[in-house]
């Protein structure tokens, strides 16, 4: 691909044909741009993420899908020299508003990372961590949460006998499911997943995908993935991003079979990426 | 394609790559350097351990008759070759002259520990091999370790026990043994009376005096409260003085009793010396000892070394106060440096905006590690002792002035000075440990809705703890072995009191203390006789190394237990 020719895609219009969820929009990304210092990474993106559905962000490496995802719970705040433009609204509230408490924002957005990152503590402590930092000390509530979330993350049967053991002793796939359990422990509005299967083997990947299918409806899930088949398998809506711009946002099936944009067509058919 | 240019035997397939390219010379240099370093460490350890271990083992006593007919008795210390000067050679007989000539002018000489410093004015004597007419090992020669004047080597001439001199020879050894034990017990009792009880009274007297001074400072000399206080002071002083008198009498009685048990000793040259039984630490017939007896003497000397206070300008007796001082100071040092260094590093790494200012701070911290330690001593004396300590004195102890309380070197100031000296080590190690905590863990915690402080407290610090502890261990080892700055801020040759005792507030961090490192310097280079101090140097070094090793082992053990908790578990 000759990237120089393609760089003018900031002017290109996004193709929309997304599936509307039963409860409407939960996150509204409105004309959102982002700069790392002088370098612009995201260009005027505008999509509505539907409540209760699974939305996949796909695109080649470096297209800004992780950046966009990490903007949703303001994890990018840690980076120095970062600027944003436009708005991202969670339940019609701009999360970049000066009055927003980032900590409580993150409590409403669970996040699962590329590499499993369980804390160096016991399995039970990992799951209850979000509650503990929130000040919950009631043992019954904590124990109940451990069971509920581990069951929710399809991990309960495997670890119920060793909840007090160090979480680092789990296998990679189990660790990632533990991280999902941790992310849903505080009952967030949205679950953000940043390539949750990229560090896992195929069998563990299948388990995570099954889990995502189970969580559908209970949580709004935004998942970034490299793997187009995965996006096709788990998501309701797919956004294709290229060079910091969402090219197409639509029903997953349509995106993969009859895409509205030539670039999407090229990407999903494997012409580049 | 065949990589081999020509068929070769197995194992030579890579002959064509040049040696330099394969890194062979580099490998040999690196390996050789490491081997050299290890060799030096091993040699050092062997030197210290061997000399430290043999020092307390009792040797036999040899009696020498010299060519001029005079006699010497003593323990053999060591032999060496030397080149006698012409003046000396003139006095040598022809047979030996020939021998030395054939030996290219080199002769042997032996160092004897003769003891009897009070009679000879020396503890050691070199004896040339050509000057010896006869050597024997007399059966009944004794080695006495005395409370004062060092060892005495000689024969027992007369025994007087409880005023009686008619003791049958077959009972003599047992009687001596048991009476010696009793006499030592009495000596220790006198010690308790003089040290503990009388110092109790002195302490109370001082308290009363200070109380009166306090009233004087508050009310003035010309006031009723002062006159009342003065009255009370005089009464209390009288009672205390009466008690003091009683104790003195008690001690006097014991001394009187001790004076009835004495030995008259004769050294090899015939000079006599009368010695109280209570003045003897231990004695043995050096040439009659079985292996078991020797081991008994050996271990009793170690026990004394580890538990007793020093005697004889530190060249004899124990080093208990120095062990105690070293341990306490190291503990205080760690307690001071840990929070200080860790908190500073936390701010520097986690909160401070990484820019020029932080770089400058970081470079300065690193440079602090290169400042000569004596400079820290000067700073500690000037800042801690004179400035801070002086202010404390004027604020809280005005009645003791002009005698300083905190305004001079002491345990607290020494610990703080060393804490300052070792703080760069802790900061650097902590910063590295914090930097090594994976970003993914921090992000995971933040994504859970934890604040930055909660993330640091719950995730970062526990994960970095083993690394932080490594820094503390390094700091501790550095601090425990440091001597130079201590000489300025509180270490003394001989501390009259330990920093802990029975008087309120029980912990006296303002007191000066003894330290093993300084003890080595003092014994080896400041004592009246370097030869006498030399073995003690090795024993004390061995002890200091052991102490540091034990402290390190304990902290490494603690760290490893934490490590197991926070790293991937293997169940």
């Amino acid at each position: 691909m000759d990237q120089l020719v393609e760089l003018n895609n900031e002017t290109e219009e996004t193709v929309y044909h997304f599936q509307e969820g039963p409860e409407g929009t939960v996150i509204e990304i409105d004309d959102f741009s982002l700069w790392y210092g002088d370098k612009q990474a995201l260009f005027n993106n505008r999509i509505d993420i539907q409540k209760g559905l699974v939305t996949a962000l796909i695109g080649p490496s470096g297209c800004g899908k992780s950046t966009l995802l990490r903007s949703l719970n303001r994890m990018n705040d840690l980076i120095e020299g970062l600027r944003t433009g436009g708005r991202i609204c969670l339940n019609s509230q701009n999360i970049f508003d000066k009055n927003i408490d980032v900590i409580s924002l993150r409590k409403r957005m669970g996040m699962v990372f590329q590499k499993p990152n369980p804390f160096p503590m016991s399995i039970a402590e990992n799951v209850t961590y979000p509650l503990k930092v929130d000040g919950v000390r009631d043992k019954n509530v904590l124990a109940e949460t451990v069971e509920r979330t581990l069951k929710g993350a399809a991990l309960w049967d495997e670890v119920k006998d060793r909840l007090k053991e160090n979480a680092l002793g789990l296998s990679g796939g189990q660790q990632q499911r533990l991280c999902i359990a941790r992310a849903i422990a505080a009952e967030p509005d949205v679950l953000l997943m940043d390539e949750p299967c990229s560090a896992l083997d195929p069998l563990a990947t299948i388990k995570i995908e099954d889990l995502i299918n189970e969580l559908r409806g209970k949580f709004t899930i935004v998942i970034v993935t490299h793997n187009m088949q995965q996006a096709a398998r788990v998501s309701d809506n797919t956004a294709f991003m290229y060079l910091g711009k969402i090219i197409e946002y639509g029903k997953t099936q349509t995106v993969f079979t009859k895409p509205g944009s030539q670039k999407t067509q090229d990407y999903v058919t494997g012409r580049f990426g | 394609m065949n990589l081999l240019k020509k068929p070769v035997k197995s194992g030579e397939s890579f002959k064509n790559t040049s040696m330099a390219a394969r890194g062979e010379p580099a490998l040999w240099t690196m390996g050789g350097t490491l081997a050299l370093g290890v060799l030096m460490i091993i040699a050092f350890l062997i030197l210290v351990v061997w000399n430290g271990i043999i020092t307390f083992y009792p040797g036999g006593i040899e009696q020498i008759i010299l060519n001029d007919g005079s006699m010497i008795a003593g323990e053999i210390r060591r032999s060496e070759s030397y080149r006698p000067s012409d003046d000396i050679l003139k006095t040598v007989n022809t047979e030996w002259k020939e021998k030395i000539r054939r030996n290219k002018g080199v002769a042997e000489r032996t160092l004897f520990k003769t003891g009897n410093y009070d009679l000879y004015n020396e503890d050691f004597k070199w004896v040339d091999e050509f000057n010896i007419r006869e050597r024997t090992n007399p059966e009944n020669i004794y080695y006495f370790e005395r409370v004062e004047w060092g060892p005495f080597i000689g024969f027992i001439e007369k025994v007087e026990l409880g005023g009686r001199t008619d003791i049958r020879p077959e009972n003599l050894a047992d009687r001596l043994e048991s009476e010696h034990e009793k006499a030592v017990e009495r000596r220790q009792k006198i010690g308790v009376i003089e040290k503990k009880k009388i110092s109790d009274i002195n302490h109370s007297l001082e308290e009363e005096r200070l109380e009166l001074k306090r009233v004087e400072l508050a009310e003035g000399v010309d006031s009723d409260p002062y006159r009342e206080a003065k009255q009370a002071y005089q009464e209390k002083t009288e009672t205390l003085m009466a008690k003091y008198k009683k104790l003195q009498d008690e001690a006097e009685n014991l001394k009187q009793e001790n004076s009835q048990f004495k030995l008259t000793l004769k050294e090899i040259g015939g000079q006599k010396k009368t010695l109280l039984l209570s003045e003897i630490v231990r004695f043995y017939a050096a040439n009659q000892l079985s292996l078991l007896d020797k081991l008994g003497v050996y271990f009793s000397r170690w026990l004394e070394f580890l538990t007793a206070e020093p005697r004889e300008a530190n060249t004899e007796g124990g080093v208990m106060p120095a062990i105690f001082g070293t341990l306490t100071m190291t503990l205080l040092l760690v307690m001071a440096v840990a929070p200080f260094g860790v908190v500073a590093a936390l701010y520097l790494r986690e909160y401070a905006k990484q820019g020029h200012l932080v770089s400058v701070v970081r470079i300065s911290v690193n440079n602090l590690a290169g400042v000569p330690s004596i400079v820290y001593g000067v700073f500690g004396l000037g800042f801690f002792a004179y400035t801070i300590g002086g202010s404390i004195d004027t604020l809280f102890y005005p009645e003791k002035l002009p005698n300083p309380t905190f305004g001079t070197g002491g345990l607290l100031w020494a610990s703080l000075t060393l804490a300052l000296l070792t703080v760069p080590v802790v900061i650097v190690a902590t910063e590295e440990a914090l930097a090594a905590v994976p970003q993914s863990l921090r992000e995971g915690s933040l994504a859970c809705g934890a604040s930055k402080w909660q993330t640091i407290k719950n995730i970062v610090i526990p994960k970095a703890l083993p690394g932080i502890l490594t820094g503390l261990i390094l700091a501790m080892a550095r601090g425990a072995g440091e001597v130079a700055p201590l000489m300025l801020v509180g270490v003394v040759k001989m501390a009259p009191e330990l920093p802990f005792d029975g008087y309120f507030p029980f912990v006296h961090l303002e007191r000066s203390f003894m330290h093993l490192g300084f003890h080595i310097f003092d014994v080896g280079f400041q004592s009246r006789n370097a030869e006498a101090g030399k073995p003690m140097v090795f024993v004390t070094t061995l002890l200091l190394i052991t102490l540091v090793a034990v402290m390190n082992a304990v902290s490494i053990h603690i760290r490893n237990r934490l490590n197991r908790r926070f790293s991937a578990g293997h169940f």
Side-chain angles (χ1 to χ4, degrees), chain B residues 157-175:
Chain B
E157 175 89 351
K158 201 175 92 193
V159 179
E160 187 187 329
L161 300 177
R164 299 166 60 108
T165 50
D166 51 343
I167 294 129
R168 273 179 295 174
E170 61 265 29
N171 290 345
L172 186 65
D174 291 342
R175 276 297 303 274

Side-chain angles (χ1 to χ4, degrees), chain A residues 70 73 75 78 80 103 106-107 109-111 113 117-121 129-130 133-134 165-166 168-169 182, chain B residues 353-354 439-441 443-451 454-455 458-459 463 564-569 571:
Chain A
R70 292 163 68 90
N73 67 347
M75 281 310 270
L78 303 176
E80 272 176 39
I103 290 170
R106 287 184 188 142
K107 280 176 183 151
M109 301 260 202
M111 189 165 193
F113 294 82
N117 57 351
F119 302 138
M121 34 176 102
Y129 185 77
V133 295
D134 209 12
E165 280 176 27
N166 197 322
L168 296 169
R182 188 174 73 194
Chain B
K353 196 167 180 290
Q354 305 295 318
Q439 193 62 26
S440 70
L441 278 185
E443 285 183 349
S445 171
L446 290 172
C448 283
S451 67
Q454 283 172 324
T455 301
N458 296 323
I459 306 293
K463 183 80 183 163
R564 271 203 293 282
R565 239 182 83 200
F566 293 116
S567 61
F571 299 109

